C-alpha cells in the first residue's frame, strides 16, 4: 500500500474537504471522549454506524475495538422488567487487517482514503500548484486529526468502508415485534482512557422508506445546465447523491459521475441550504432529462426525484428590463413598461408578456407577438398576486427574459384560523401533524410553530409557507421535557396572517430512566430496621423499590417493599438480630423504566435482650505504690470485651481503657493526689449488646 495518498480523486476531495473539517465540526479538543451512534431499519435488519468523537479516542479504539451490546426492551406492547441482554460481538470490533484491504482499495477510492489514514506510515496529503508548503504545516501540526477526519469522511461516503474500519454493524437476528436498545462502547482500558458509550433505540416497526430528494431544479444555458436541490431538508437521511441523465426522453438514465456527489462546502455559519452541479450538454436545442437519487449513511439508495428536463440554447445578447409595473385605479388592471437596447432590435422579432402566481416558476405567455417597437402594455383581470416578465423573442427562436416585477391588487383580508390540529409521536421522535385545510382562493400556505413548554415563546419549524395541511417533524425524546407543543398559522398570497390554531400538546414516548433516590437516614433498634430516603426528582417517578440481601452471601437481592411516591419510609420487621443486611433502593417510573440502584447500606439489628449487671467491681488504693488496683468478676458467656470509663471530680466520664474478655484486673497509675475518681465498667457481647454500667467512686 502506498505511503502517501496520490489519487487525483483524493486530492480533489482534500481541496474542498478541509473547510468542512475545520468549520462544520465542533472543536475537536473541547469534546468529552464519547461514542456517537446512529441507526436505521430495513425490512428485516437493523443497521448501525458509530465513531469515537475525538482523534485520540478513535486511535485507541482502533487498537482495542468496540463492543456492541443489545438489550431487548419490549416484546409487543409489553415492556420487560428485566431486559434481555445479548453481546453481539464475540470479540471487540477493530479495523480489518491491512492485507484484507488490498483488493478493496484497488476498486474503491474511499477505501484507499480510510486504509491510508488507519495504516499508512505517513499521511502527507499532497496539493498541486504550490500548496505543498501549506499542507505540510497542517500535516505536521495535525497528523492525527487528519487521519481521524479522513477516516470518518470515507466511512460516511461508503457503508462498506465503515464496516472495514470497524465502525458499522448489521444486526439480522431481530424480530418484528421487539424493540432494542443498542449500546456501543470501547474496549479501551479505563486506566488509559475513559470514553462514554453511545446508544440508539430501534425496532423493525420503525422502518420507513427513504424519501425523495426535494426541490430539484435545473437552469439550462448555452450547452450547459446548472442543477440544484435543497440538501438540508434531508440532511439526516442522505450524505451523497447520484445524478442521472437521459438523452432518449427518459427511457434510459445514466449516472454522470463514477462516484457519488457529496456536499463539500457546508459551513456552520452563513451556509446555503442548496447543492449545485453544472453539467455540460453535448448539444443545444435537444431535450435532456435529469433525476436525482440520495444515498444514506448506510449505503441505501433512495427513490428518484421528480424529473427535470430542458434544452440548451444560445442566449440573446440583450435582456429587456421592466421599468414600471403599475396598478391602475380600477384595482384590476396593470400597466407594464419596459426598455430594450436599440442595438439589439435587429436580433429579435417580438416581445411577449408573461404572468405567474410565483416569482420563480409557473410563468405563462398572456400576451404574445407584441411588436418589437412597443414598450408599454396594459393587462386586465389581475389575480391576487401577479408576477410579470417581458420576453424578447430572437430571430433564431432563442429568448431572453427580464427580471420579474410584482403587481398586487389591494387585499388585507386574512385567511381563516387553522383548526382541527392533531398529531402523534412515534418511539423514535418522529412527529406527524394534521389539520383541516383552508379553502380560500388566495390561500398560500401554513407556518408551523413548536415549543417545549406551553408558556414559552414558540419557534417556527417551517422554512417557508407549506401548502399541505400536514407536516412531519422530529423531536429529541431523550430530554427531561415530557411534552411538546405545536400551533399553526395560515397565510394568503398577500402574506396576510391568520390567527393561530389552538395549541396542541403531545406527550413524548418515555425511554429515559428516572433518577435514583437517596438514602436519608436509618435506625436499627427493638427488632425493627427503619429506613428513610429522599425520593426521585423525576416527574414521572411512580414507585420506590426496596431490596435486601445478607451481606457476604451469594443469594440474590430480594424485593421487600414497593412504596408509591411520595412515600419515603419503610420499617423492616423481618430482619433478624446479629445478621448484617445490605439495603438498596431503585426508582420505577410510570413507563416501567428503572433507575440504577443506589449504593447499598450495611445495617445490623442489635440484640436488645437485657444482660445482667457485672457481679463484682472493686477498687483498692495503694498510696505507697501510687496506684489504684481495679478488679472485677462477671460470670456471663459471649463477652468479647470490657469498656472502662473514668471521670475526675465533676467532669464527665470518658472512655479510658478497653480490655479483652479474659482480662479481669487493671492498675491505674495515671493519678493525682487528693483527687476523687469515678470508674464505670461495661461488658460488650458478640451480638453487639452491652451490659448495664457498673460504677464505683475512689478518693486517692
Amino acid at each position: 500500500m502506498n505511503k502517501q495518498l496520490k489519487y487525483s480523486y483524493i486530492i480533489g476531495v482534500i481541496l474542498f474537504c478541509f473547510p468542512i473539517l475545520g468549520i462544520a465540526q465542533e472543536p475537536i479538543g473541547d469534546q468529552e471522549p464519547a461514542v456517537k451512534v446512529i441507526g436505521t431499519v430495513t425490512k428485516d435488519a437493523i443497521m448501525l454506524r458509530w465513531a469515537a468523537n475525538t482523534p485520540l479516542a478513535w486511535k485507541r479504539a482502533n487498537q482495542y475495538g468496540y463492543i456492541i451490546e443489545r438489550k431487548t426492551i419490549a416484546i409487543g406492547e409489553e415492556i420487560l422488567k428485566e431486559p434481555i441482554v445479548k453481546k453481539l460481538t464475540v470479540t471487540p470490533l477493530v479495523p480489518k487487517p491491512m492485507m484484507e484491504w488490498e483488493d478493496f482499495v484497488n476498486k474503491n477510492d474511499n477505501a484507499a482514503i480510510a486504509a491510508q489514514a488507519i495504516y499508512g506510515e505517513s499521511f502527507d496529503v499532497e496539493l498541486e500548484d504550490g500548496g505543498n508548503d501549506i499542507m505540510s504545516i497542517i500535516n505536521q501540526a495535525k497528523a492525527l486529526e487528519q487521519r481521524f477526519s479522513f477516516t470518518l469522511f470515507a466511512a460516511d461516503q461508503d457503508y462498506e468502508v465503515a464496516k472495514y474500519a470497524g465502525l458499522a454493524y448489521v444486526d439480522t437476528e431481530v424480530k418484528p415485534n421487539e424493540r432494542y436498545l443498542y449500546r456501543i462502547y470501547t474496549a479501551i482500558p479505563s486506566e488509559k482512557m475513559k470514553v462514554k458509550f453511545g446508544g440508539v433505540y430501534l425496532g423493525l416497526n420503525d422502518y420507513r422508506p427513504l424519501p425523495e430528494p426535494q426541490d430539484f431544479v435545473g437552469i439550462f444555458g448555452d450547452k450547459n445546465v446548472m442543477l440544484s436541490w435543497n440538501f438540508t431538508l434531508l440532511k439526516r437521511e442522505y450524505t451523497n447523491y447520484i445524478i442521472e441523465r437521459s438523452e432518449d426522453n427518459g427511457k434510459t438514465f445514466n449516472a454522470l459521475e463514477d462516484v457519488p456527489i457529496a456536499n463539500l462546502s457546508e459551513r456552520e455559519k452563513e451556509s446555503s441550504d442548496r447543492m449545485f452541479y453544472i453539467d455540460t450538454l453535448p448539444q443545444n436545442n435537444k431535450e435532456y432529462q435529469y433525476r436525482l437519487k440520495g444515498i444514506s449513511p448506510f449505503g441505501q439508495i433512495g427513490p428518484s426525484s421528480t424529473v427535470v428536463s430542458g434544452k440548451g440554447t444560445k442566449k440573446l445578447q440583450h435582456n429587456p428590463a421592466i421599468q414600471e409595473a403599475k396598478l391602475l385605479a380600477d384595482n384590476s388592471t396593470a400597466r407594464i413598461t419596459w426598455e430594450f437596447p436599440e442595438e439589439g432590435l435587429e436580433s429579435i422579432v417580438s416581445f411577449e408578456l408573461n404572468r405567474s402566481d410565483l416569482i420563480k416558476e409557473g410563468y405563462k405567455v398572456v400576451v404574445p407577438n407584441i411588436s418589437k417597437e412597443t414598450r408599454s402594455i396594459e393587462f386586465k383581470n389581475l389575480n391576487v398576486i401577479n408576477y410579470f416578465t417581458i420576453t424578447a423573442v430572437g430571430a433564431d427562436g432563442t429568448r431572453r427574459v427580464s427580471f420579474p416585477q410584482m403587481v398586487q391588487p389591494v387585499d388585507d383580508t386574512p385567511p381563516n384560523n387553522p383548526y382541527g390540529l392533531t398529531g402523534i409521536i412515534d418511539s423514535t421522535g418522529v412527529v406527524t401533524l394534521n389539520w383541516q385545510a383552508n379553502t380560500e382562493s388566495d390561500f398560500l400556505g401554513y407556518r408551523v410553530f413548536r415549543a417545549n413548554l406551553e408558556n414559552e415563546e414558540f419557534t417556527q419549524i417551517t422554512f417557508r409557507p407549506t401548502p399541505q395541511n400536514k407536516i412531519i417533524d422530529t423531536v429529541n425524546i431523550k430530554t427531561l421535557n415530557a411534552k411538546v407543543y405545536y400551533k399553526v398559522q395560515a397565510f394568503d398570497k398577500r402574506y396576510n396572517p391568520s390567527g393561530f390554531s389552538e395549541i396542541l400538546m403531545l406527550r413524548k414516548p418515555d425511554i429515559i430512566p428516572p433518577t435514583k433516590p437517596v438514602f436519608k437516614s436509618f435506625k436499627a433498634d427493638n427488632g425493627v430496621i427503619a429506613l428513610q430516603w429522599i425520593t426521585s426528582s423525576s416527574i414521572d417517578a411512580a414507585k420506590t423499590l426496596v431490596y435486601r440481601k445478607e451481606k457476604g452471601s451469594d443469594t440474590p437481592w430480594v424485593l421487600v417493599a414497593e412504596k408509591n411516591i411520595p412515600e419515603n419510609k419503610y420499617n423492616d420487621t423481618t430482619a433478624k438480630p446479629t445478621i448484617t443486611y445490605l439495603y438498596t433502593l431503585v426508582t420505577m417510573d410510570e413507563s416501567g423504566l428503572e433507575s440504577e440502584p443506589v449504593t447499598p447500606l450495611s445495617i445490623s439489628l442489635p440484640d436488645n435482650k437485657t444482660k445482667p449487671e457485672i457481679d463484682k467491681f472493686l477498687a483498692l488504693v495503694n498510696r505507697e505504690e501510687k496506684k489504684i488496683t481495679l478488679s472485677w468478676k462477671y460470670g456471663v458467656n459471649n463477652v468479647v470485651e470490657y469498656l472502662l470509663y473514668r471521670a475526675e471530680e465533676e467532669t464527665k466520664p470518658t472512655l479510658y481503657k478497653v480490655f479483652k474478655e479474659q482480662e479481669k484486673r487493671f492498675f491505674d497509675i495515671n493519678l493525682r493526689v487528693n483527687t476523687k475518681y469515678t470508674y464505670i465498667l461495661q461488658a460488650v457481647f458478640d451480638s453487639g449488646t452491652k451490659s448495664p454500667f457498673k460504677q464505683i467512686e475512689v478518693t486517692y
Side-chain angles (χ1 to χ4, degrees):
M1 187 177 293
N2 293 333
K3 294 182 180 179
Q4 294 182 336
L5 295 176
K6 297 184 179 179
Y7 300 98
S8 61
Y9 167 76
I10 296 172
I11 292 177
V13 169
I14 293 168
L15 287 169
F16 294 99
C17 189
F18 269 95
I20 282 183
L21 301 176
I23 297 174
Q25 293 182 349
E26 297 178 12
I28 293 178
D30 295 340
Q31 298 186 81
E32 178 185 358
V35 178
K36 302 296 184 180
V37 186
I38 60 174
T40 192
V41 178
T42 66
K43 292 182 179 180
D44 55 5
I46 293 177
M47 305 174 73
L48 304 174
R49 272 276 288 113
W50 66 86
N53 65 339
T54 67
L56 183 57
W58 165 80
K59 178 181 178 181
R60 290 183 172 171
N62 284 347
Q63 176 184 357
Y64 293 99
Y66 297 90
I67 298 171
I68 305 176
E69 179 184 272
R70 185 185 74 191
K71 290 185 178 180
T72 304
I73 301 299
I75 299 177
E77 299 296 327
E78 179 184 359
I79 298 177
L80 303 180
K81 289 187 177 179
E82 294 292 336
I84 302 172
V85 181
K86 181 179 181 181
K87 187 174 290 186
L88 300 182
T89 49
V90 178
T91 58
L93 286 180
V94 295
K96 287 183 179 293
M98 183 170 62
M99 297 306 296
E100 295 187 24
W101 287 76
E102 186 171 354
D103 292 339
F104 193 22
V105 165
N106 291 333
K107 59 184 180 181
N108 189 304
D109 288 333
N110 285 311
I113 295 174
Q116 179 67 26
I118 295 172
Y119 292 112
E121 295 180 12
S122 65
F123 198 67
D124 297 329
V125 182
E126 297 183 2
L127 288 177
E128 298 177 359
D129 300 329
N132 288 334
D133 290 342
I134 297 175
M135 290 308 302
S136 176
I137 295 173
I138 296 176
N139 291 345
Q140 292 175 14
K142 297 187 176 181
L144 179 58
E145 290 184 13
Q146 285 186 357
R147 292 177 182 270
F148 167 68
S149 299
F150 274 90
T151 300
L152 266 59
F153 173 81
D156 279 345
Q157 309 312 305
D158 193 313
Y159 191 71
E160 193 65 24
V161 173
K163 291 168 69 175
Y164 266 69
L167 300 175
Y169 182 85
V170 179
D171 186 8
T172 58
E173 297 181 358
V174 291
K175 298 179 180 180
N177 64 334
E178 295 182 349
R179 298 193 62 77
Y180 309 100
L181 178 63
Y182 291 89
R183 190 174 78 161
I184 300 177
Y185 54 94
T186 71
I188 302 172
S190 59
E191 63 270 15
K192 290 184 176 292
M193 189 178 203
K194 293 184 178 180
V195 181
K196 186 177 180 181
F197 69 84
V200 65
Y201 183 64
L202 291 170
L204 286 182
N205 58 359
D206 292 323
Y207 170 74
R208 300 289 185 276
L210 290 172
E212 294 181 5
Q214 299 295 306
D215 201 11
F216 184 47
V217 297
I219 300 176
F220 288 81
D222 184 9
K223 289 188 177 182
N224 65 70
V225 58
M226 183 172 69
L227 302 169
S228 172
W229 62 95
N230 191 324
F231 77 94
T232 58
L233 293 176
L234 301 176
K235 186 175 180 181
R236 294 185 178 180
E237 284 77 11
Y238 297 128
T239 55
N240 299 292
Y241 291 90
I242 300 171
I243 299 178
E244 298 177 332
R245 183 177 72 188
S246 173
E247 301 183 19
D248 54 7
N249 294 320
K251 295 179 181 178
T252 59
F253 281 87
N254 298 306
L256 296 181
E257 298 285 352
D258 294 334
V259 295
I261 299 169
N263 180 32
L264 301 176
S265 60
E266 184 182 2
R267 296 176 296 175
E268 184 175 356
K269 296 181 179 179
E270 299 180 359
S271 63
S272 171
D273 61 356
R274 305 192 67 79
M275 288 179 64
F276 297 89
Y277 184 91
I278 298 177
D279 184 34
T280 300
L281 301 178
Q283 66 184 69
N284 281 335
N285 301 316
K286 177 182 178 180
E287 184 170 288
Y288 296 92
Q289 294 179 318
Y290 292 87
R291 67 186 185 186
L292 182 70
K293 295 180 179 178
I295 304 177
S296 76
F298 303 91
Q300 300 165 308
I301 299 178
S304 302
S305 68
T306 56
V307 174
V308 170
S309 60
K311 298 178 181 180
T313 57
K314 185 175 180 62
K315 301 297 183 182
L316 295 173
Q317 298 299 313
H318 302 284
N319 282 68
I322 296 178
Q323 292 179 304
E324 183 182 45
K326 182 179 180 181
L327 179 69
L328 301 184
D330 62 1
N331 200 39
S332 63
T333 304
R335 179 184 294 122
I336 296 92
T337 304
W338 66 93
E339 63 180 10
F340 190 80
E342 290 292 331
E343 60 269 24
L345 288 177
E346 292 183 359
S347 62
I348 68 171
V349 295
S350 64
F351 294 105
E352 294 174 345
L353 177 66
N354 316 289
R355 198 207 71 82
S356 174
D357 293 335
L358 303 173
I359 188 172
K360 293 184 178 180
E361 59 187 19
Y363 285 91
K364 294 182 179 180
V365 178
V366 291
V367 182
N369 301 319
I370 302 172
S371 171
K372 65 180 183 180
E373 306 299 331
T374 301
R375 296 293 181 271
S376 180
I377 194 170
E378 292 185 0
F379 182 80
K380 296 181 178 293
N381 300 322
L382 297 175
N383 288 356
V384 176
I385 296 179
N386 304 268
Y387 291 97
F388 291 102
T389 61
I390 293 292
T391 300
V393 182
D396 59 353
T398 58
R399 286 170 162 77
R400 303 254 332 193
V401 182
S402 70
F403 286 106
Q405 290 282 355
M406 183 181 68
V407 177
Q408 287 183 311
V410 176
D411 175 19
D412 56 5
T413 303
N416 294 327
N417 296 352
Y419 69 97
L421 180 59
T422 61
I424 58 173
I425 305 179
D426 70 10
S427 59
T428 63
V430 176
V431 182
T432 304
L433 298 175
N434 294 274
W435 57 91
Q436 295 297 319
N438 283 59
T439 58
E440 293 85 356
S441 59
D442 63 342
F443 172 73
L444 175 64
Y446 302 95
R447 295 186 188 273
V448 183
F449 299 81
R450 181 183 68 204
N452 291 318
L453 299 173
E454 185 175 11
N455 296 324
E456 78 173 4
E457 183 175 351
F458 280 69
T459 302
Q460 181 178 310
I461 62 173
T462 46
F463 292 100
R464 57 182 63 88
T466 176
Q468 288 81 21
N469 60 323
K470 63 180 180 180
I471 192 173
I472 303 297
D473 187 29
T474 57
V475 295
N476 186 359
I477 60 177
K478 297 181 179 180
T479 63
L480 296 179
N481 292 329
K483 301 174 183 178
V484 64
Y485 299 86
Y486 290 93
K487 62 182 179 181
V488 181
Q489 188 177 34
F491 289 80
D492 63 17
K493 293 180 180 179
R494 296 295 297 272
Y495 282 86
N496 293 314
S498 73
F500 289 103
S501 68
E502 293 185 357
I503 295 175
L504 172 67
M505 183 277 288
L506 296 177
R507 186 177 295 276
K508 299 179 183 178
D510 186 9
I511 64 169
I512 301 177
T515 58
K516 296 187 292 187
V518 178
F519 275 119
K520 181 178 181 181
S521 65
F522 72 91
K523 183 178 181 181
D525 197 11
N526 297 324
V528 178
I529 296 178
L531 303 175
Q532 188 172 3
W533 59 87
I534 299 173
T535 58
S536 170
S537 60
S538 297
I539 298 176
D540 61 345
K543 295 180 179 180
T544 303
L545 309 180
V546 184
Y547 289 88
R548 185 188 77 184
K549 68 176 292 186
E550 292 186 20
K551 185 176 182 180
S553 71
D554 295 330
T555 57
W557 289 92
V558 177
L559 178 64
V560 294
E562 291 187 17
K563 294 294 183 178
N564 294 326
I565 291 177
E567 290 184 73
N568 64 344
K569 295 179 181 180
Y570 170 65
N571 292 334
D572 188 0
T573 59
T574 64
K576 298 179 181 180
T578 73
I579 297 178
T580 301
Y581 294 98
L582 296 177
Y583 290 87
T584 189
L585 303 174
V586 173
T587 299
M588 177 185 290
D589 66 15
E590 295 172 352
S591 301
L593 300 178
E594 294 186 356
S595 71
E596 294 291 329
V598 301
T599 302
L601 282 180
S602 178
I603 306 174
S604 179
L605 187 66
D607 184 359
N608 291 330
K609 293 181 180 179
T610 304
K611 301 297 181 181
E613 190 179 63
I614 295 175
D615 299 337
K616 294 182 180 180
F617 183 33
L618 303 175
L620 179 61
V621 177
N622 190 333
R623 292 180 177 80
E624 294 180 357
E625 296 182 7
K626 298 180 179 180
K627 65 181 180 180
I628 297 176
T629 302
L630 301 175
S631 61
W632 57 89
K633 181 180 179 182
Y634 195 35
V636 179
N637 296 326
N638 300 324
V639 175
V640 294
E641 63 185 10
Y642 293 94
L643 306 179
L644 178 65
Y645 298 84
R646 191 184 80 166
E648 294 183 10
E649 300 295 342
E650 296 180 356
T651 62
K652 293 183 178 181
T654 58
L655 182 63
Y656 189 48
K657 293 288 182 180
V658 178
F659 304 99
K660 296 180 180 179
E661 57 89 15
Q662 65 270 21
E663 297 182 72
K664 298 294 189 294
R665 179 173 295 183
F666 170 66
F667 300 101
D668 189 5
I669 59 174
N670 185 19
L671 304 169
R672 292 189 300 171
V673 178
N674 298 325
T675 302
K676 182 179 180 180
Y677 292 96
T678 300
Y679 294 95
I680 301 173
L681 188 65
Q682 186 178 45
V684 180
F685 295 84
D686 56 6
S687 65
T689 58
K690 299 176 182 179
S691 70
F693 290 112
K694 186 73 171 182
Q695 177 177 318
I696 59 175
E697 294 181 354
V698 181
T699 301
Y700 177 73

